[in-house]
Amino acid sequence: MASSSSCRTWHCLLALLLLSSAAYGQLSPSFYAKTCPRLELVVRSTMTKALLADRRMGASLLRLYFHDCFVQGCDGSILLDDMGNFVGEKTAPPNGNTVRGYEVIDEIKKNVELVCPGVVSCADITALAARDGVFLLGGPSWKVPLGQRDSTTANLNEANSDLSVTSLSLDVLIASFAKKNLSPRDLTALLGAHTIGFSQCVNFRDHIYNGTDIDPAFATLRKRSCPAQAPNGDSNLAPLDVQTQLVFDNAYYHNLVAKRGLLSADQLLFGGGSQDALVRQYAANPKLFESDFVTAMIKMGSLRPPSGTPTQIRRNCRVVNS
């Protein structure tokens, strides 16, 4: 009897060790090579369908991924719905009514579960969806570091403090990325994601009406759909890239050089500061931009929750497993 009990204890310890190593093991593009070999095919096909229905979705899922990784690491915490006394990141002001695409993540998760039940994290699905959104809009592809796990909680306070784009200076912007171990070069490359997608009037109203570092003709153009008096037109959309908002290219940097950055945080990259030279390089050399963007995405995608954070593989990306 004692021997049987000891055996069961040994198995429990072994299971705990395996779970622990899985939670904090090395990330790798081949993490699911044996456990879910069809993963990337399922994600790509579902993303293709989503973008055929709405080409904006590529930019939306890229933004969702950024906002996930910038709060306690790339852990799928942004996907958790508010329930009962739990208030997560999804409805934080920087996310609520602006981050979209949750239903696409749900659809990918559903399709992945059909072929590999209980294996792939929502965090990794979000990372692959962001990569494929970029690729399907004409941008680069890359090998995503996989093996992230889903957190069992979220951080509303960190979402409110770390996702604000109302930076008053380039130094503040650089410092906010440095908190995530991302360099000024990473910052300038990652903000190139604004070569696709749209933003709401409430986010750029102050820049087009009160900004001093903006092309007057561009400001006039944007004022047509963004009234000066809030809350009139708050949710009206304008393209982040005035030239090719549904194509992933380097036009964003041409816009910055021409003082046509839609958001004040964008134009901070080119205004007599430390990133001017790099912005000019990206404008002149699209391959350099793509290479640096991929490097920065892989670096950001490796951000993990603090050591000891409880994690799991969620069955439903919106709720913690019961």
Side-chain angles (χ1 to χ4, degrees):
M1 189 73 176
S3 175
S4 175
S5 174
S6 173
C7 185
R8 283 197 299 271
T9 302
W10 183 84
H11 278 105
C12 288
L13 289 172
L14 179 60
L16 189 63
L17 178 63
L18 289 173
L19 284 171
S20 176
S21 62
Y24 300 105
Q26 291 295 311
L27 302 178
S28 168
S30 60
F31 187 86
Y32 299 106
K34 292 183 178 179
T35 56
C36 193
R38 294 172 57 192
L39 169 62
E40 297 203 26
L41 179 63
V42 172
V43 175
R44 178 67 56 87
S45 62
T46 311
M47 280 296 295
T48 300
K49 180 181 176 182
L51 264 68
L52 285 172
D54 178 5
R55 282 178 64 84
R56 283 179 57 205
M57 194 53 68
S60 296
L61 288 170
L62 181 57
R63 184 165 186 263
L64 188 156
Y65 182 52
F66 280 153
H67 282 222
D68 182 38
C69 291
F70 260 63
V71 180
Q72 66 181 28
C74 309
D75 62 349
S77 56
I78 194 174
L79 305 174
L80 290 170
D81 284 343
D82 293 354
M83 299 185 75
N85 293 326
F86 172 76
V87 180
E89 300 159 22
K90 188 176 282 188
T91 52
N95 293 329
N97 299 319
T98 62
V99 174
R100 60 195 289 268
Y102 298 109
E103 70 284 354
V104 177
I105 299 298
D106 292 340
E107 182 69 12
I108 298 172
K109 177 65 170 176
K110 182 188 76 174
N111 294 339
V112 169
E113 287 293 301
L114 290 175
V115 295
C116 312
V119 172
V120 182
S121 69
C122 299
D124 282 340
I125 284 173
T126 304
L128 289 169
R131 189 271 310 273
D132 285 359
V134 169
F135 176 73
L136 291 169
L137 291 177
S141 187
W142 61 92
K143 293 183 177 181
V144 176
L146 299 171
Q148 297 278 25
R149 290 170 61 85
D150 302 321
S151 68
T152 58
T153 187
N155 194 323
L156 175 63
N157 290 334
E158 193 173 325
N160 285 327
S161 65
D162 289 11
L163 294 177
S164 173
V165 294
T166 56
S167 173
L168 298 177
S169 72
L170 179 58
D171 286 343
V172 171
L173 200 56
I174 288 173
S176 70
F177 274 64
K179 282 177 62 178
K180 312 299 178 183
N181 294 317
L182 295 168
S183 69
R185 191 179 189 97
D186 296 328
L187 157 69
T188 303
L190 287 172
L191 284 190
H194 287 174
T195 189
I196 52 175
F198 294 74
S199 187
Q200 295 182 359
C201 165
V202 67
N203 295 321
F204 59 84
R205 176 183 282 119
D206 185 63
H207 183 49
I208 63 174
Y209 283 99
N210 303 314
T212 57
D213 204 20
I214 186 171
D215 172 50
F218 176 67
T220 299
L221 173 67
R222 293 281 72 97
K223 288 174 183 177
R224 292 176 187 171
S225 60
C226 185
Q229 188 62 47
N232 297 326
D234 273 5
S235 61
N236 291 353
L237 296 174
L240 288 160
D241 172 359
V242 70
Q243 301 180 66
T244 54
Q245 59 265 27
L246 294 175
V247 178
F248 193 97
D249 55 21
N250 68 330
Y252 168 81
Y253 299 101
H254 290 276
N255 295 334
L256 297 186
V257 173
K259 306 293 185 183
R260 293 184 174 186
L262 183 65
L263 305 178
S264 58
D266 288 327
Q267 198 57 58
L268 286 173
L269 294 181
F270 190 86
S274 61
Q275 300 307 293
D276 281 19
L278 185 57
V279 168
R280 288 191 184 277
Q281 288 179 47
Y282 288 162
N285 189 338
K287 291 300 181 185
L288 175 64
F289 160 55
E290 287 192 357
S291 175
D292 282 2
F293 180 80
V294 166
T295 298
M297 285 294 291
I298 292 172
K299 193 172 175 182
M300 184 185 75
S302 300
L303 294 174
R304 312 188 79 167
S307 179
T309 301
T311 59
Q312 60 184 203
I313 304 298
R314 283 187 222 133
R315 291 186 291 271
N316 177 343
C317 293
R318 294 174 179 264
V319 296
V320 175
N321 297 342
S322 56

